[in-house]
Amino acid sequence: MTIDDKVKNYREKSNEPKPYIWVCILAIILVFILSLSASELNIGFFEAFRIIYDHILGIEPTNYHDMIRDRVVVEENIPRGIGAICAGAVLSIGGAVLQNLIRNPLADPYTLGISSGALFGMVISLVLGISIIPFVDEGDGLIVNAFLFALIPMAIVVFLSTFKKVSPTMMILIGIAVMYIFNAFNTIIKYTTDDETISQIYQWTIGSVSGLSWGAVPKLIFALLLAYISMYFIRNEIDIVAQGDNNAITLGINPNKLRIISLIIISLATATIVCYTGTIGFVGLVAPHIARRYFGSKCRLLIPGSAVIGALMVLASDYIIRIMAPSLPVGVVLALICSPIFIIILIRMKKNEW
């Protein structure tokens, strides 16, 4: 076999879909099915399917007991499961893309301050009644505020990387600094509001998928499709920029323009997720590293791999919460599960992987 044949075989092999993706998809489907009956009520596995089947056929519950179970399965568990999948996938896609574009293993929507900026936009809209764009209904107004404030840390990072030529490490430090600034403003605003609003802000701060309704599902799915389709469409350009700005410029790609476009899209998708789930940290950082280990660093497999791993992480964590400690937010369980995994990945990581 000649060298050209070996290179050709290697390229064909590297382009093959990894079986791990299908394993993760099957795991997501399995956990989602199990989560349909997960609640404080004693709802059986097959009973949950019967409730869904009756609901599809339009068969109304005959008593109060059945009405409560129908509400739990159809109105709470299904939207909650879909929301967990969308949140984990969007944040993980954002983390994978940002790590490649900024060339820093610590980059994700949380560490760059995008999530904190979005949360601050929501808080000032909810507590202070400040809407950047007037005459917008409350739900869309929260998303608009969250998106516009999520652009602030993104704009700072892009500006400094363009005109000051800061290092990838410095970008992360700047993002963390902006994150703490927004967190400080959120804390100040908490002192001016009532206990009920403080509790709601706290839930947003630590991240939770409980309380999601069918009204949120279309917007969460839109955020997922926006992040996945747009980032996958420019996957080759992202891979080239990940090799260095000089290489990208040589091939006719404007790296700063690509970063701005990508960050705007990621900011919008992240802001939409934050409006309904709060700032779920860690998944956008850890999921891409796990995906990178099994799928490689090329976005062709890294983006879908990160999406399915992130979705599985959030969905599985939420399922554990529902059967063991319903009052806990998903962000806490994610941190407990992901921290040891991340430490193991760092220990086993080769020196030349980044």
Side-chain angles (χ1 to χ4, degrees), residues 48 56 165 187 214 260 277 294 319 334 336 340 345 347 349:
I56 293 174
K165 304 297 181 182
T187 302
W214 279 108
I260 292 173
T277 68
Y294 292 100
Y319 174 67
L334 269 173
L336 290 174
I345 292 174
I347 293 173
M349 182 181 294

Side-chain angles (χ1 to χ4, degrees), residues 80 84 206-210 277 280 313-319 321 328-335:
R80 183 170 178 171
I206 55 181
S208 175
V209 294
S210 62
T277 68
I280 300 177
M313 288 171 60
V314 178
L315 181 63
S317 298
D318 184 57
Y319 174 67
I321 287 172
L328 278 179
V330 69
V332 174
V333 177
L334 269 173

Side-chain angles (χ1 to χ4, degrees), residues 148-334:
L148 293 177
F149 278 91
L151 293 177
I152 294 177
M154 179 275 295
I156 294 174
V157 171
V158 171
F159 175 81
L160 292 176
S161 63
T162 303
F163 297 100
K164 294 297 182 179
K165 304 297 181 182
V166 296
S167 65
T169 301
M170 189 63 66
M171 292 183 192
I172 297 298
L173 294 176
I174 292 170
I176 292 175
V178 174
M179 178 185 68
Y180 277 114
I181 292 173
F182 281 127
N183 288 343
F185 280 127
N186 287 332
T187 302
I188 293 173
I189 293 176
K190 287 179 184 179
Y191 283 96
T192 65
T193 187
D194 56 273
D195 293 339
E196 183 179 352
T197 306
I198 290 175
S199 176
Q200 188 174 359
I201 295 174
Y202 175 74
Q203 288 291 331
W204 275 334
T205 303
I206 55 181
S208 175
V209 294
S210 62
L212 290 176
S213 64
W214 279 108
V217 169
K219 295 176 182 178
L220 295 174
I221 294 176
F222 165 78
L224 173 57
L225 294 177
L226 174 67
Y228 182 82
I229 294 175
S230 58
M231 293 299 102
Y232 195 78
F233 183 76
I234 58 174
R235 62 190 184 279
N236 294 329
E237 288 80 0
I238 295 174
D239 287 336
I240 294 172
V241 172
Q243 302 303 317
D245 286 5
N246 292 333
N247 292 335
I249 294 172
T250 303
L251 295 173
I253 298 173
N254 188 331
N256 290 323
K257 181 180 179 181
L258 184 68
R259 288 192 184 97
I260 292 173
I261 294 173
S262 301
L263 285 169
I264 289 175
I265 294 172
I266 292 171
S267 296
L268 177 57
T270 301
T272 305
I273 294 298
V274 169
C275 284
Y276 295 102
T277 68
T279 55
I280 300 177
F282 226 71
V283 62
L285 177 65
V286 176
H289 283 286
I290 299 175
R292 203 178 300 274
R293 185 169 186 84
Y294 292 100
F295 305 114
S297 297
K298 298 296 181 182
C299 286
R300 181 181 178 275
L301 291 176
L302 178 63
I303 290 176
S306 299
V308 295
I309 291 176
L312 180 59
M313 288 171 60
V314 178
L315 181 63
S317 298
D318 184 57
Y319 174 67
I320 293 173
I321 287 172
R322 283 193 257 178
I323 62 176
M324 296 185 64
S327 61
L328 278 179
V330 69
V332 174
V333 177
L334 269 173

Side-chain angles (χ1 to χ4, degrees), residues 17-229:
K18 303 293 184 180
Y20 304 112
I21 290 182
W22 299 110
V23 172
C24 291
I25 291 175
L26 290 175
I28 290 172
I29 295 173
L30 176 61
V31 176
F32 181 79
I33 292 174
L34 292 174
S35 69
L36 294 176
S37 59
S39 69
E40 294 180 345
L41 299 178
N42 187 21
I43 300 177
F45 177 78
F46 293 102
E47 184 182 2
F49 277 93
R50 181 190 59 78
I51 291 173
I52 296 173
Y53 181 75
D54 290 344
H55 197 89
I56 293 174
L57 295 179
I59 301 175
E60 298 291 336
T62 56
N63 55 60
Y64 179 77
H65 180 267
D66 291 336
M67 289 176 60
I68 295 297
R69 290 170 176 267
D70 179 85
R71 177 178 176 80
V72 169
V73 174
V74 178
E75 301 296 331
E76 295 181 11
N77 285 359
I78 296 179
R80 183 170 178 171
I82 296 174
I85 292 172
C86 293
V90 168
L91 296 175
S92 300
I93 291 171
V97 171
L98 291 174
Q99 287 169 14
N100 275 16
L101 286 176
I102 299 179
R103 298 188 292 279
N104 192 303
L106 297 178
D108 83 318
Y110 190 81
T111 56
L112 283 179
I114 296 174
S115 296
S116 298
L119 179 63
F120 179 70
M122 291 174 54
V123 169
I124 64 171
S125 176
L126 179 69
V127 178
L128 304 180
I130 298 175
S131 180
I132 304 300
I133 298 180
F135 310 112
V136 180
D137 63 75
E138 184 177 355
D140 293 335
L142 286 176
I143 296 177
V144 171
N145 264 29
F147 170 60
L148 293 177
F149 278 91
L151 293 177
I152 294 177
M154 179 275 295
I156 294 174
V157 171
V158 171
F159 175 81
L160 292 176
S161 63
T162 303
F163 297 100
K164 294 297 182 179
K165 304 297 181 182
V166 296
S167 65
T169 301
M170 189 63 66
M171 292 183 192
I172 297 298
L173 294 176
I174 292 170
I176 292 175
V178 174
M179 178 185 68
Y180 277 114
I181 292 173
F182 281 127
N183 288 343
F185 280 127
N186 287 332
T187 302
I188 293 173
I189 293 176
K190 287 179 184 179
Y191 283 96
T192 65
T193 187
D194 56 273
D195 293 339
E196 183 179 352
T197 306
I198 290 175
S199 176
Q200 188 174 359
I201 295 174
Y202 175 74
Q203 288 291 331
W204 275 334
T205 303
I206 55 181
S208 175
V209 294
S210 62
L212 290 176
S213 64
W214 279 108
V217 169
K219 295 176 182 178
L220 295 174
I221 294 176
F222 165 78
L224 173 57
L225 294 177
L226 174 67
Y228 182 82
I229 294 175

